[in-house]
Amino acid sequence: MTLVTIVGMLSGVLLLLTAIYIFLSKKAFPAGGVAVTLVSLVMIGMSQWSTIRIKGGGIDIDLTTLAAAVDTLAAQGVITANAIDSTRRGLVKLTDQLGDRNVLPRPSINSVLEPLRAAPRIDTAALNRNRTRVGRIRE
């Protein structure tokens, strides 16, 4: 286990024990106790999240390996999205040039440009944000 995992576990356990002690000594569990308990459970859970391994029934999944695979797919998705956008822009430019030189009639140009301009665009910034979130799991 890494130092961060150990510190997260110990901090979460200490917070949980504090909430339990207050409950047993004062016989009350105010909103602050609920908040401390939730924070402690999150700390314990998040420190163990990266070490989760699911085994059984022929399945063996390691969360770190899964996160690495998802990150690789997201990186390939960003590259593909950029290539698609670059191709789309190139086709629009080429079609405009063919129209300017009167190689294609105007109805043909419009029939090509309309779907190209209406094509949905992939938000590569969102893909990169998700890659960052997945990358945190591996750490």
Side-chain angles (χ1 to χ4, degrees):
M1 278 198 270
T2 64
L3 180 63
V4 174
T5 303
I6 293 169
V7 170
M9 284 290 293
L10 290 177
S11 300
V13 168
L14 287 175
L15 278 174
L16 191 57
L17 289 175
T18 302
I20 291 170
Y21 173 75
I22 297 296
F23 175 72
L24 293 176
S25 64
K26 295 187 177 185
K27 304 292 187 225
F29 201 62
V34 172
V36 167
T37 303
L38 289 176
V39 168
S40 67
L41 292 175
V42 167
M43 289 180 76
I44 293 169
M46 290 307 291
S47 63
Q48 288 301 306
W49 181 253
S50 63
T51 59
I52 291 177
R53 184 178 200 106
I54 301 169
K55 280 185 166 183
I59 297 173
D60 185 10
I61 300 173
D62 181 15
L63 187 63
T64 307
T65 307
L66 185 63
V70 169
D71 191 43
T72 302
L73 285 174
Q76 290 173 355
V78 169
I79 292 168
T80 303
N82 288 334
I84 289 170
D85 192 50
S86 175
T87 302
R88 186 193 55 77
R89 281 185 274 124
L91 286 172
V92 168
K93 186 177 178 181
L94 177 65
T95 306
D96 284 337
Q97 288 175 352
L98 291 174
D100 292 342
R101 294 180 183 168
N102 293 322
V103 174
L104 290 175
R106 183 51 55 188
S108 296
I109 292 172
N110 290 336
S111 67
V112 170
L113 287 178
E114 285 176 14
L116 287 174
R117 290 188 174 136
R121 292 180 178 64
I122 298 170
D123 186 7
T124 55
L127 285 174
N128 282 324
R129 278 193 306 273
N130 290 332
R131 282 187 64 207
T132 304
R133 289 182 192 141
V134 169
R136 289 183 197 146
I137 293 173
R138 291 189 299 163
E139 296 174 354

